[in-house]
Amino acid sequence: MDWLKLGYAVLVIALIIFIFPAVRHWQKNSPKAKQGDWQAFLFPIGLIALLVVGLMWVVGR
Amino acid sequence: MNNPKLHTGSAPRVSALSTNKVLRNTYALLSVTLIFSALMAAVSTMLHVGHGASLACSVGALLLIWFVLPRTAESATGIAVVFAFTGLLGFGLGPLLNFYLNTTHGAEVIATSMGGTAIIFMGLSGYVLTTQRDFSFLGGFLFAGLIVVLLASLAGIFLNMPGLWLAINAAVILIFSGFILFDTSRIINGGVTNYIIATTSIYLSIYNIFIALLHLLGFASNE
């Protein structure tokens, strides 16, 4: 199975190389968040975290 | 993953009519490709394909999105490329689905993961469409988070740490949920005008959320 681990590692490295230009682009060009933007992001993300915890609890019973 | 060319430039102002057209075409293509991907996953599950074939499918999908899609996204060929890409990723799910199907509560875990992914996607899309908020400020944060998750995954391949994998899967769900907000808001604000590229981005978010949720629920059910 070691060759498979190596294959997945190469795939992950390729993905990092693939998305790196986008990382640099968005680090430089992301618009600044306005007042309330982060709250508007954290609200649905918090709900999703609760949903995932709830689903884990349901299947774990 | 998210192609740099899928996320370029700031959002130009475009008419509501053309934005709605991009959104409508994106959701239409997304729904068809999701069905196609699910069919391919069913086929590979029945054929009992191995992990090597799954890895080959992932590599093939990466090559398509890396080299072929940027050259074909503006033409009808791009639609065929999206089908090939989503078909390969769906086919690559076979070994993972077979693993869960061979466990006691595996079918329930897979069904719950599908339902959970659908709730997350529809909830987030509805949230952006209702609030019309611009989430493009998340770009730098999400891509940096994605790099951190990929580096942690690289470590996780060689270190046998279940806690690390749980943390990675939880982070994947939150980051790709952020990408759904980011991509959908870019469509409705005119930042993405090509529905083939928009479909690919949102499909990748749904795909990654489904797999991460499957792992977390599999862990929770002791599978």
Side-chain angles (χ1 to χ4, degrees), chain A residues 8-42:
Chain A
Y8 278 113
V10 170
L11 182 67
V12 172
I13 292 168
L15 283 172
I16 292 171
I17 295 168
F18 176 59
I19 66 161
F20 198 71
V23 177
R24 281 207 341 216
H25 170 81
W26 282 102
Q27 290 290 340
K28 283 182 189 165
N29 300 304
S30 273
K32 290 267 179 277
K34 294 189 284 288
Q35 193 173 14
D37 276 352
W38 281 105
Q39 286 94 319
F41 165 64
L42 291 173

Side-chain angles (χ1 to χ4, degrees), chain B residues 46-203:
Chain B
M46 285 186 281
L47 293 176
H48 289 91
V49 295
H51 287 280
S54 172
L55 178 62
C57 286
S58 299
V59 171
L62 181 67
L63 292 175
L64 279 180
I65 196 176
W66 203 339
F67 295 112
V68 185
L69 189 65
R71 291 176 175 83
T72 55
E74 299 294 336
S75 66
T77 316
I79 295 175
V81 174
V82 173
F83 271 95
F85 165 74
T86 55
L88 279 172
L89 287 182
F91 196 80
L93 282 177
L96 183 65
L97 296 178
N98 268 333
F99 170 79
Y100 283 107
L101 286 173
N102 289 329
T103 58
T104 320
H105 304 292
E108 183 194 347
V109 167
I110 293 172
T112 310
S113 302
M114 285 174 70
T117 306
I119 291 170
I120 290 171
F121 169 65
M122 289 192 282
L124 290 173
S125 302
Y127 179 71
V128 179
L129 294 173
T130 308
T131 61
Q132 298 279 312
R133 196 176 270 273
D134 184 3
F135 285 101
S136 57
F137 70 94
L138 289 172
F141 171 76
L142 292 175
F143 278 103
L146 190 54
I147 286 281
V148 171
V149 164
L150 286 172
L151 288 173
S153 303
L154 196 56
I157 289 171
F158 298 104
L159 306 171
N160 196 12
M161 295 170 65
L164 177 63
W165 276 117
L166 281 181
I168 289 170
N169 283 307
V172 164
I173 292 176
L174 299 181
I175 286 173
F176 281 98
S177 295
F179 270 115
I180 290 177
L181 293 174
F182 175 76
D183 288 324
T184 310
S185 86
R186 292 195 74 228
I187 295 170
I188 62 172
N189 289 298
V192 179
T193 53
N194 184 310
Y195 70 95
I196 292 174
I197 282 172
T199 301
T200 310
S201 299
I202 296 177
Y203 173 88

